[in-house]
Amino acid sequence: MTTTVSDFVIARIKEWGVSRVFGFPGDGIGEFDGALGKAEKDGVGVEYIRPTHEEICSLMATAHAKFTGEIGVCIATSSPGAFHLLNGLYDAAMDNQPVVAIVGQQGLDALGTFSQQQSNLERTFADVAVYVQTIVSPAQAQAVVDTAFRMARVRLQPAVIILPHDVQGMPMPEVGAENWVSRSSAVAPSTAVVPPADELARAAAIINAGEKVTFLVGHGANGATDLVLEAARKAGAGIITALRGKQVVPSDVPHHTQQLGLLGSLPSLHQMKQCDTLVLLGTNYPYGQFLPATGQARAIQVDLKPEQMGLRYPTELNLWGDVAATLAALVPLLEQKTDLAWQNHIAEEMVDWESEMDAQADVEYDDGVNPRRVYHELNKRLPPQAIVTADAGTTADWYGHHIRLRRGMMGDLSGRLATMLAAMPYAVAAKFAYPERTVICTIGDGAFQMLGMNELITVKKYLSRWENPQLIILVLHNDDLSQVSWEMRTEDANPVWSTSQDVESVDYAGWAELLGFTGIRVTEDGQVADAWDRAFANRGVTLIDAHTSKNVPPLPPHITAEFARNTAKALFKGDPNARGAIRDSAQALLTEGIERVKDTLHLGRDDKDKRDDKDARDDKDA
């Protein structure tokens, strides 16, 4: 039987290591879908996962790349299906993930003729993808497929292959040595790049000279856990992880102070205010306001993305390289610090911070379950090798504040794009990648209503494929887009606008039960622990419908005057939730304890932790 272009593409992506794709059918990709079906029947295909929407396909492909390190692949039809892929592809682009999208197109003769579902897809994808190419002849297919996968892998960005419907079914020739025909290979160059020896020596000299060294570790350091810990041990360094780097450094490392910024810890903030040397490892941390003052610290950045180095802080040295390979060459050059006062001080502060997180989780509110308690109790019960996903919104705050990933655990979310609804496709993609592991999805009700509820249908469809069917979905049910509500107050001094913020209340546990899953309703703080115990005892799918307070403030570790002023203005402009927000904020602040309040009000500071004059004025105003 004649091999078609579609047959060739399927065989070629398998050569690139692809075993699973996430797709949604349509006539524009119909011939290719037919070839996928034939390959499956013949036992030479790839696993084809069809969720409920093309956007879910691209988010699942991105999650697959994040959790496995492999290239994620999504497939969709022409115009409408292709457009639906965009959000997930932007998620891949902004979080530096290798994803290849294969999209259909109308036949070659239809291009540029305003035919149904014919659009300029190359222009559409030009902003999001590192490589976009339409295959216009069979002889071109090999080079286009290989280039797309090679560029996705090396550039850590999405690439797009456009397959016109008629080309999909054309016979695939043997590519020969002909003019204008490229003969390519399904081989990517190694990304284990190591900087030159003289630059490594400079980096070691900078770190060795530092007395208060801090490592800021991101997702780009995945796979380098032991090297990061060894470098920190020799340098006497404190460690902060970016939110997407949470899984890189185990939570039981005493000088690991978790995250930085609005959803970070006070010890992390103190590290940034006091360090004299900053080493950024595989991170494009975007919030420069939380980094050291200009001139305070000597800084080094290590990354495979050279265009993203030296952007957030004026670095003295940028090392273009893979974090693991670079640290392997750098660690032998580091001198062992004998004075560990800096590292020990960080560890002591972290003990105090964890006590504060415990206290915040214990607060009881009159208007719903404390969302912090829900995450706090989850954290206590995380089994070995668990995978946790979080959504954009307050779920990310509570994930950052309360979830502690131990060695072997994984966790992720949509980072720089911070798109809503990603937690659910991320969790399902993780379940496909690691069917033996327990996966926990944490998501808000607004995001769950977007496409998350649909994905319970996908779970029902594929549940039998997972050797361990345990999947737990936590829905924070507060009938409010609560993160945006707080942003309206704190960023713009606007009261909550109920017309835009209210979320229609739905019986989420009932929806899970309708599909044959276990639904658990939590309406009181005293029910939280038992709900998690029941969920982890259930060898199946469980949805916890937690009726949480929408007024619990996602308090940053340091409250600025702008934050305080804007919130006060918003609450007294007729905010419909003002009474609850004031009451719950007051309870949260009181729980912080006298030491935290003293830090906020700038009382009792010592010489080691002096802020600049502007911060002092801000604290007084706050």
Side-chain angles (χ1 to χ4, degrees):
M1 185 176 291
T2 302
T3 298
T4 66
V5 170
S6 292
D7 296 328
F8 168 80
V9 172
I10 294 165
R12 198 66 165 185
I13 69 175
K14 289 186 69 177
E15 286 188 60
W16 277 97
V18 176
S19 60
R20 179 180 301 112
V21 299
F22 305 94
F24 202 95
D27 67 315
I29 196 71
E31 185 73 28
F32 185 73
D33 285 342
L36 283 168
K38 177 180 176 297
E40 179 185 68
K41 181 179 178 182
D42 294 342
V44 295
V46 294
E47 184 181 19
Y48 181 90
I49 305 301
R50 202 222 75 189
T52 59
H53 194 280
E54 292 93 349
E55 183 177 353
I56 299 293
C57 294
S58 54
L59 286 167
M60 290 177 83
T62 299
H64 180 87
K66 288 180 175 182
F67 285 123
T68 67
E70 300 171 358
I71 298 174
V73 176
C74 52
I75 301 169
T77 188
S78 50
S79 297
F83 300 154
H84 285 161
L85 294 177
L86 282 169
N87 195 43
L89 294 181
Y90 272 104
D91 190 33
M94 296 177 75
D95 279 351
N96 303 318
Q97 296 303 309
V99 171
V100 174
I102 301 172
V103 299
Q105 176 63 287
Q106 300 308 298
L108 291 174
D109 292 342
L111 299 184
T113 66
F114 309 103
S115 295
Q116 184 182 33
Q117 292 193 348
Q118 186 276 315
S119 55
N120 190 334
L121 293 179
E122 291 193 354
R123 181 180 295 173
T124 298
F125 289 109
D127 181 61
V128 71
V130 69
Y131 177 77
V132 186
Q133 186 59 55
T134 301
I135 297 177
V136 297
S137 74
Q140 182 200 17
Q142 183 186 83
V144 169
V145 172
D146 289 341
T147 303
F149 276 83
R150 188 175 297 112
M151 291 188 71
R153 165 57 62 205
V154 176
R155 299 283 294 278
L156 298 174
Q157 291 287 282
V160 179
I161 299 167
I162 302 170
L163 267 176
H165 192 275
D166 49 355
V167 176
Q168 295 168 29
M170 289 180 181
M172 182 66 191
E174 187 72 31
V175 178
E178 303 169 24
N179 189 31
W180 297 335
V181 175
S182 293
R183 290 171 290 167
S184 60
S185 61
V187 179
S190 170
T191 56
V193 180
V194 181
D198 61 328
E199 293 188 2
L200 291 168
R202 283 181 60 198
I206 292 170
I207 296 172
N208 290 337
E211 295 182 359
K212 297 179 179 180
V213 181
T214 288
F215 290 178
L216 179 54
V217 182
H219 192 271
N222 246 351
T225 297
D226 290 333
L227 288 163
V228 171
L229 295 180
E230 177 61 11
R233 184 188 68 81
K234 295 186 76 173
I239 302 174
I240 300 169
T241 47
L243 195 59
R244 293 202 56 244
K246 198 176 183 74
Q247 67 184 24
V248 177
V249 180
S251 60
D252 57 1
V253 173
H255 46 277
H256 172 203
T257 60
Q258 295 293 318
Q259 282 69 69
L260 175 70
L262 294 177
L263 41 67
S265 71
L266 195 60
S268 291
L269 183 65
H270 285 169
Q271 279 201 68
M272 284 299 172
K273 286 183 174 293
Q274 299 169 24
C275 71
D276 60 21
T277 308
L278 176 62
V279 182
L280 299 102
L281 299 171
T283 180
N284 182 28
Y285 181 79
Y287 304 107
Q289 68 269 35
F290 297 105
L291 296 178
T294 302
Q296 171 191 320
R298 302 178 73 181
I300 301 167
Q301 189 164 358
V302 182
D303 212 295
L304 275 173
K305 301 286 290 182
E307 67 273 21
Q308 294 180 6
M309 292 196 286
L311 275 177
R312 311 302 180 197
Y313 190 78
T315 47
E316 182 175 337
L317 180 63
N318 291 321
L319 299 179
W320 186 2
D322 170 70
V323 172
T326 300
L327 286 180
L330 179 63
V331 165
L333 305 179
L334 298 179
E335 299 171 357
Q336 178 62 58
K337 286 282 196 304
T338 56
D339 183 357
L340 299 180
W342 166 249
Q343 198 176 68
N344 291 336
H345 173 69
I346 290 166
E348 290 169 3
E349 278 206 5
M350 194 58 189
V351 172
D352 293 339
W353 176 257
E354 295 290 32
S355 295
E356 181 174 317
M357 291 298 95
D358 292 346
Q360 291 281 3
D362 282 341
V363 178
E364 293 190 3
Y365 298 99
D366 296 333
D367 45 10
V369 174
N370 183 349
R372 289 181 175 273
R373 179 173 299 195
V374 179
Y375 279 75
H376 187 69
E377 294 295 336
L378 164 61
N379 185 64
K380 290 180 183 179
R381 293 162 175 78
L382 286 176
Q385 306 295 306
I387 301 175
V388 184
T389 67
D391 212 78
T394 55
T395 61
D397 292 288
W398 315 137
Y399 171 79
H401 281 165
H402 294 280
I403 297 300
R404 302 291 179 255
L405 299 177
R406 302 187 299 276
R407 186 181 284 269
M409 294 180 180
M410 304 174 78
D412 220 325
L413 74 171
S414 174
R416 198 153 57 95
L417 181 63
T419 181
M420 290 175 67
L421 77 83
M424 192 65 185
Y426 272 38
V428 180
K431 198 64 184 173
F432 279 113
Y434 303 99
E436 75 285 359
R437 295 193 182 196
T438 296
V439 177
I440 304 99
C441 167
T442 69
I443 190 167
D445 50 3
F448 196 58
Q449 285 188 15
M450 282 182 161
L451 288 171
M453 294 179 73
N454 290 14
E455 281 317 283
L456 277 184
I457 301 172
T458 303
V459 171
K460 182 176 177 64
K461 179 179 180 180
Y462 291 104
L463 184 61
S464 62
R465 298 194 185 187
W466 302 332
E467 64 181 78
N468 171 13
Q470 190 169 71
L471 171 66
I472 303 172
I473 302 100
L474 164 67
V475 179
L476 296 188
H477 185 166
N478 58 22
D479 302 332
D480 183 63
L481 300 176
S482 52
Q483 182 74 14
V484 180
S485 292
W486 279 103
E487 288 169 345
M488 290 177 74
R489 295 170 180 136
T490 62
E491 294 180 9
D492 303 310
N494 284 323
V496 167
W497 184 34
S498 297
T499 301
S500 71
Q501 297 307 106
D502 286 355
V503 174
E504 184 67 20
S505 189
V506 172
D507 182 3
Y508 303 107
W511 170 238
E513 291 164 350
L514 184 65
L515 292 171
F517 304 140
T518 298
I520 301 175
R521 296 164 183 83
V522 175
T523 57
E524 299 175 5
D525 289 281
Q527 299 171 338
V528 173
D530 179 66
W532 284 118
D533 287 339
R534 289 172 58 193
F536 282 113
N538 179 32
R539 188 172 172 80
V541 179
T542 306
L543 186 146
I544 297 177
D545 185 352
H547 292 248
T548 53
S549 169
K550 61 186 174 184
N551 294 317
V552 177
L555 291 173
H558 169 61
I559 299 174
T560 65
E562 181 184 18
F563 182 105
R565 281 195 301 265
N566 286 347
T567 303
K569 288 178 182 177
L571 294 176
F572 290 106
K573 282 181 181 178
D575 190 302
N577 302 315
R579 183 182 296 274
I582 292 170
R583 181 185 60 244
D584 291 0
S585 296
Q587 284 184 267
L589 284 166
L590 286 171
T591 305
E592 290 175 343
I594 189 63
E595 293 305 317
R596 175 77 182 280
V597 173
K598 285 168 67 176
D599 181 86
T600 302
L601 295 176
H602 199 53
L603 298 173
R605 60 178 179 172
D606 58 33
D607 291 338
K608 293 187 298 180
D609 192 23
K610 286 185 178 179
R611 299 182 177 87
D612 60 27
D613 289 340
K614 181 179 181 300
D615 274 351
R617 291 194 300 273
D618 283 353
D619 286 339
K620 184 178 179 181
D621 289 342

